[in-house]
Amino acid sequence: MKQNNLEKKIRKLKEKRRAIILAHNYQLPEVQDIADFLGDSLELSKKAAQVDAKVIVFCGVHFMAETASILCPDKKVIMPDITAGCPMAKMITAKKLRRLKTTYPEATVVGYVNTSAEVKAELDYCCTSTNALAVMEALRDRSQIIFIPDKYLAHYVSQKIHKKLIVWDGYCPTHIKILPQDIKREKKLHPKSEIIVHPECLPEVIEMADAVLSTSKMCQYVKSSKAKEFIVATEVGIIYRLKKENPNKEFYPATERAICPNMKKITQEKILWALEELKEEVKVKEEIRIRAIRPIENMFKVI
Ligand code: CIZ
Ligand code: SF4
């Protein structure tokens, strides 16, 4: 592929800074194209910890860069646009969670990775959309479980493990824009398609799925599936990666409305500026980090 000037400058500076560029599956095509690794939040944070680099340019939203900072405190984690946040993660604060914990002092507290480092510091277990079910299966025998902040992911796992959970009223404003009628319309247009749905979607949409998958699982699933066409019910940015990795298959977004504006804030220009100025840094304070890493380690123990 022909490289533009901007890409050339980024690659040169990246080497000088001993930096690597990590990009979430929802990022703009121009960001995906310049990234060293693509993935979901946890895949990227693990990559950040493994790679031999001094600087991690994290192209995603704030809680993801924080998770990388929690897992690799010795590297400099920078975000090309520090204002890219996750509205779902902002729906709960450490203070609010502490209040909920006082109401249910016996409960085990599980939190989705889409939370701030301060909220993670209050958790017993962390989980991602890839392993939420496995984590919850492992905890099935606990008398009470609090699950924050995504009520739809909570509803999905609660149904699967046949257990009532204490849930928070959080949700993803992008995924709730995918409606059952979108799936119906696309299925009518593309009857041979398989329907793949992210667990942050509405329960009525999840019910229509052939497979309920995180973004990393979607990438794996479509490769091994016999189907040639897929209706994709998640943030539309992933379609670019799916198409690039599977040029002989067709991918239809359930709806073009499912765009996360925060995921679209990062551009190649901003990546170049971030590398030039080495900012904005995302650094989790040590007293929070040592508490926030525990639920992540507990997650690895049970999956
Ligand atoms: O963990 C992630 O990266 C999120 C938020 C979604 C997904 O399924 O990849
Ligand atoms: Fe947050 Fe939803 Fe955007 Fe993911 S798609 S970063 S959950 S608002």
Side-chain angles (χ1 to χ4, degrees):
M1 196 192 293
K2 206 166 165 279
Q3 280 182 24
N4 62 31
N5 259 347
L6 204 49
E7 288 185 4
K8 274 189 203 143
K9 279 190 194 161
I10 291 171
R11 286 185 213 281
K12 217 168 142 194
L13 196 52
K14 197 178 69 169
E15 256 173 53
K16 190 169 154 204
R17 299 277 193 235
R18 293 201 36 226
I20 59 152
I21 302 173
L22 304 179
H24 191 269
N25 296 322
Y26 295 156
Q27 289 288 299
L28 288 174
E30 65 179 60
V31 175
Q32 295 195 24
D33 283 343
I34 196 81
D36 296 297
F37 298 101
L38 292 173
D40 65 21
S41 56
L42 198 68
E43 281 178 327
L44 295 177
S45 293
K46 278 164 72 181
K47 205 39 121 187
Q50 285 162 7
V51 290
D52 176 25
K54 272 176 108 160
V55 176
I56 308 292
V57 182
F58 207 110
C59 306
V61 291
H62 194 263
F63 79 83
M64 299 179 178
E66 274 192 331
T67 310
S69 166
I70 292 168
L71 290 179
C72 51
D74 299 334
K75 290 177 184 138
K76 190 175 181 119
V77 180
I78 56 174
M79 274 182 82
D81 190 328
I82 194 86
T83 71
C86 167
M88 183 209 282
K90 289 186 182 147
M91 289 177 189
I92 189 160
T93 60
K95 198 168 159 198
K96 286 179 184 166
L97 179 54
R98 278 196 292 272
R99 207 176 304 144
L100 182 67
K101 282 165 58 171
T102 358
T103 316
Y104 301 98
E106 301 297 315
T108 301
V109 188
V110 183
Y112 192 23
V113 67
N114 296 39
T115 45
S116 68
E118 287 202 350
V119 168
K120 283 193 181 74
E122 299 291 332
L123 302 175
D124 297 314
Y125 291 85
C126 182
C127 75
T128 68
S129 38
T130 299
N131 63 30
L133 214 47
V135 170
M136 296 303 280
E137 296 264 11
L139 302 175
R140 191 203 291 264
D141 294 336
R142 304 285 170 112
S143 57
Q144 284 183 326
I145 305 178
I146 293 173
F147 190 103
I148 58 107
D150 186 357
K151 62 180 169 186
Y152 296 123
L153 178 61
H155 180 267
Y156 171 66
V157 291
S158 160
Q159 273 201 326
K160 283 278 181 193
I161 65 165
H162 306 290
K163 189 177 179 79
K164 210 166 161 350
L165 305 171
I166 301 154
V167 301
W168 193 255
D169 191 20
Y171 59 89
C172 165
T174 297
H175 282 84
I176 63 160
K177 296 205 176 86
I178 304 170
L179 302 174
Q181 53 264 42
D182 294 319
I183 309 284
K184 251 185 239 156
R185 182 195 60 241
E186 292 305 313
K187 184 72 182 174
K188 216 170 177 182
L189 288 169
H190 314 288
K192 288 191 187 134
S193 298
E194 269 197 275
I195 302 164
I196 55 175
V197 175
H198 195 277
E200 286 171 20
C201 287
L202 297 171
E204 309 87 277
V205 172
I206 290 184
E207 262 171 38
M208 301 167 88
D210 292 309
V212 181
L213 303 160
S214 66
T215 62
S216 56
K217 290 281 173 197
M218 282 184 184
C219 294
Q220 290 167 18
Y221 181 89
V222 302
K223 274 187 194 145
S224 56
S225 167
K226 286 200 184 77
K228 291 266 178 285
E229 295 174 86
F230 300 86
I231 295 163
V232 184
T234 191
E235 210 279 343
V236 295
I238 197 175
I239 305 264
Y240 181 72
R241 173 171 176 188
L242 293 175
K243 188 68 195 157
K244 202 166 169 183
E245 292 180 359
N246 306 272
N248 300 325
K249 299 193 173 190
E250 291 303 326
F251 302 94
Y252 312 108
T255 166
E256 297 282 357
R257 277 190 308 270
I259 295 176
C260 174
N262 283 286
M263 282 285 181
K264 309 303 177 205
K265 284 187 173 174
I266 296 170
T267 59
Q268 287 194 350
E269 273 95 348
K270 289 185 190 175
I271 293 174
L272 180 64
W273 300 333
L275 280 166
E276 280 171 352
E277 297 169 18
L278 285 180
K279 27 185 213 200
E280 299 280 335
E281 186 173 13
V282 176
K283 181 112 187 120
V284 175
K285 283 199 207 96
E286 191 58 14
E287 70 259 32
I288 298 287
R289 194 191 77 82
I290 51 177
R291 291 171 57 213
I293 201 166
R294 267 195 323 239
I296 300 177
E297 287 168 350
N298 289 344
M299 166 181 81
F300 288 127
K301 280 184 206 152
V302 297
I303 56 169

